[in-house]
Amino acid sequence: MDEFEVGAPREPDTRHGRLLLAFTMSLDGFVAGPDVRAGQAMGQGGERLHDWLFTDTSECGVDADMAQEVVGLVGAVILGRRTFDVGLAHWGDTPYPVPSFVLTHQRREPLVMRSAAFTFVDDGILSALHQAHRAASGRDIVVMGARTAQQYLRAGLVDDLILQVAPVLLGSGSRLFDDIAPGPTELRRERVLGSPFVTHLKFSVTRDSSTG
Amino acid sequence: MDEFEVGAPREPDTRHGRLLLAFTMSLDGFVAGPDVRAGQAMGQGGERLHDWLFTDTSECGVDADMAQEVVGLVGAVILGRRTFDVGLAHWGDTPYPVPSFVLTHQRREPLVMRSAAFTFVDDGILSALHQAHRAASGRDIVVMGARTAQQYLRAGLVDDLILQVAPVLLGSGSRLFDDIAPGPTELRRERVLGSPFVTHLKFSVTRDSSTG
C-alpha cells in the first residue's frame, strides 16, 4: 500500500503560484482555541495544536520535513488584519521571510520588517491575490487566518490544502471549514503521512479545465 | 516511514467491549448533508461520502479491508431515534447483524428483524450502554448517528474513533464534532492509511488510569 502513502502529484508538474492553505487543525476542525487575542495568538489552549513542531521528532523525520515544506514553497503570504494584529508581536517579523499582504479596511503605509515587508491591501481579496502573485515570482502563496482562508475558499480560489491534523479534540475555537461554500468541492488526495504526533494531509482542489 | 503508516496498538491488547464511533466524514467535518430525512438518510448530497464503498478498489485493497473492519468488531449497536427512523427502510434489517439499541423517549416493544432485534431504550445513554455491553458479550459497541455520538463524547464514554475522511468539502450538513466537550480531549493516533478514494484514520481516546 506504500504507493498510496507517499503522494507524488499524479500529473505533470505544472504547479506554480498556487494558493495554499496550510494549517494545523484539531481532529474536530479547530485551528485555534477560543478567545484569540494579542498575547494569545492561538486562542485559549490552542497552542496544543503546535506541540508537534516542538516535539523531539528525531525518530520521526517526517514531521521535521513537513514543518519545512511550506517554507520551501512560499513566495508571498496573504493574511487577515486580525491575524496580523495578534501575530505581529509573536513573529517579530513577517510570518515567513517573504512579502506579506494584509487585508484591511484602512489605508496604511507598508511596514518594513527584517526579512520582508507587510503591505496593507484595502481593495479586496482579488487585489491582494494579484499583488501576492506578482511578489511571489511564480512561487506559491500561503493564506493565513481562518477567516481569510474562508474568504478564498468561498471564492473558489484555493488550490491546495496542507493540513496537519493534531490528535486532539479541542471542543471549541476557530473552525477552519466554516461557512465556506454553498455546495460540494471535490478534492484530490495528494498525500497522507503520519507520525504519532500529527497526521500530514495534502489535498488539491479539483476543477474542470475551464476554471482551473 | 512505513512503521508510522500501519498502526498496530502500541500496548498489550486489553481491548474488549470498546465504544466506537465509526463514520465517513468530509474533510470539513460533515457526516451527512443537510436535510436528513426518510428517503434521504445521508442528507442532500451526503451519499457522496460513501462513494469509496462503491468504488472498484481492486487496486486498493485497503478500502475493502477497512469497510469490513467494523463488521468484524461489532457486537452491539447504539443508535439515535432519528437515525433509526431514517435508516430503517434503507437497511431493511438492523444496521449490523447484531443487537441494536435505539435511544428514544417512548416505551416500545422490541422490533425483531431478520438478523437481530432493535430494543428501545427510554432511560438514557448509560442504560443503553449497559444493555449493549451485555448483548455484545465482550465485542465492541458501535454508536450510529451524529447527535448520539456527541452525547457519548460529552459523557467521556467513547474509546475509539474510526474515521474515513472523504476527499470533499460538503460545505453544510451534520457535523460529527459539534458541541462535544468543554475542554480538550487527547487522542492517540492508532492508524493512518489512505487510498486515492478515502483516508482511514483511527484514534483512541487517552485517559488516565482512573477513568479509562
Side-chain angles (χ1 to χ4, degrees):
Chain A
M1 293 174 288
D2 291 350
E3 66 267 39
F4 305 119
E5 302 309 315
V6 180
R10 278 178 285 286
E11 287 180 352
D13 194 353
T14 56
R15 310 164 159 243
H16 58 274
R18 295 176 72 84
L19 192 66
L20 316 182
L21 306 188
F23 286 90
T24 300
M25 183 171 86
S26 64
L27 184 65
D28 53 344
F30 297 103
V31 294
D35 193 20
V36 169
R37 54 182 163 77
Q40 189 170 272
M42 290 296 290
Q44 192 184 327
E47 69 284 354
R48 163 66 185 88
L49 295 173
H50 289 163
D51 280 1
W52 70 279
L53 289 166
F54 305 104
T55 302
D56 176 8
T57 57
S58 48
E59 55 174 326
C60 308
V62 59
D63 288 351
D65 291 348
M66 292 295 105
Q68 289 305 310
E69 181 187 38
V70 172
V71 179
L73 295 170
V74 63
V77 170
I78 299 173
L79 62 162
R81 171 62 192 273
R82 178 178 149 99
T83 302
F84 169 79
D85 284 343
V86 301
L88 185 60
H90 174 68
W91 303 315
D93 198 348
T94 51
Y96 295 88
V98 295
S100 299
F101 297 86
V102 182
L103 292 163
T104 176
H105 295 292
Q106 295 174 299
R107 283 185 184 270
R108 183 171 165 182
E109 289 300 302
L111 177 63
V112 179
M113 305 298 290
R114 191 172 67 246
S115 304
F118 289 103
T119 299
F120 298 86
V121 179
D122 66 355
D123 55 352
I125 65 171
L126 286 173
S127 172
L129 183 57
H130 183 63
Q131 294 183 55
H133 268 304
R134 280 192 306 192
S137 303
R139 294 172 68 80
D140 292 342
I141 298 158
V142 171
V143 174
M144 295 182 71
R147 294 181 196 177
T148 304
Q150 289 157 15
Q151 289 183 276
Y152 282 99
L153 281 168
R154 277 196 296 274
L157 294 167
V158 173
D159 295 304
D160 294 323
L161 304 168
I162 296 177
L163 299 176
Q164 272 75 34
V165 178
V168 64
L169 302 173
L170 283 187
S172 62
S174 304
R175 282 193 193 276
L176 176 55
F177 297 117
D178 209 9
D179 189 22
I180 55 167
T185 302
E186 286 292 328
L187 306 173
R188 187 172 64 183
R189 203 284 311 266
E190 301 283 349
R191 182 179 62 215
V192 179
L193 282 173
S195 84
F197 310 111
V198 74
T199 301
H200 306 274
L201 303 178
K202 183 172 180 179
F203 295 89
S204 58
V205 176
T206 302
R207 297 188 183 91
D208 63 46
S209 55
S210 64
T211 58
Chain B
M1 293 176 287
D2 291 353
E3 65 268 38
F4 305 120
E5 302 309 315
V6 179
R10 279 178 285 285
E11 287 181 350
D13 193 352
T14 57
R15 312 165 157 240
H16 58 275
R18 295 174 73 84
L19 193 65
L20 317 182
L21 306 188
F23 286 90
T24 300
M25 185 172 86
S26 65
L27 184 65
D28 53 345
F30 296 103
V31 293
D35 192 20
V36 170
R37 54 182 163 78
Q40 189 171 271
M42 291 296 291
Q44 194 185 326
E47 69 282 354
R48 162 66 186 86
L49 295 173
H50 288 164
D51 280 1
W52 70 279
L53 288 167
F54 305 105
T55 303
D56 176 8
T57 57
S58 48
E59 56 174 326
C60 310
V62 60
D63 288 351
D65 290 349
M66 291 296 105
Q68 288 304 309
E69 180 187 39
V70 172
V71 179
L73 296 170
V74 63
V77 170
I78 299 172
L79 62 163
R81 171 62 192 272
R82 178 177 148 101
T83 302
F84 169 79
D85 284 343
V86 302
L88 185 59
H90 174 68
W91 303 315
D93 199 348
T94 51
Y96 295 89
V98 296
S100 299
F101 297 86
V102 182
L103 292 164
T104 175
H105 295 294
Q106 295 175 300
R107 285 185 183 270
R108 182 171 166 183
E109 289 301 302
L111 178 63
V112 179
M113 305 299 287
R114 193 173 63 245
S115 303
F118 289 103
T119 299
F120 298 86
V121 179
D122 66 355
D123 54 350
I125 65 170
L126 286 173
S127 172
L129 183 56
H130 183 63
Q131 294 182 56
H133 269 303
R134 280 191 306 189
S137 302
R139 295 173 67 80
D140 292 343
I141 298 159
V142 171
V143 174
M144 296 181 70
R147 294 182 196 175
T148 305
Q150 289 157 14
Q151 287 184 276
Y152 282 99
L153 282 167
R154 278 196 296 274
L157 294 168
V158 173
D159 296 303
D160 295 323
L161 303 168
I162 296 177
L163 299 175
Q164 272 76 36
V165 178
V168 64
L169 302 173
L170 283 187
S172 62
S174 304
R175 282 194 193 275
L176 177 56
F177 297 117
D178 208 10
D179 188 22
I180 55 169
T185 302
E186 285 291 328
L187 306 173
R188 187 172 64 183
R189 202 285 310 264
E190 301 283 349
R191 181 180 62 217
V192 178
L193 283 173
S195 83
F197 310 110
V198 72
T199 301
H200 306 275
L201 303 178
K202 183 171 180 179
F203 295 89
S204 58
V205 176
T206 303
R207 298 189 183 90
D208 63 47
S209 56
S210 63
T211 59

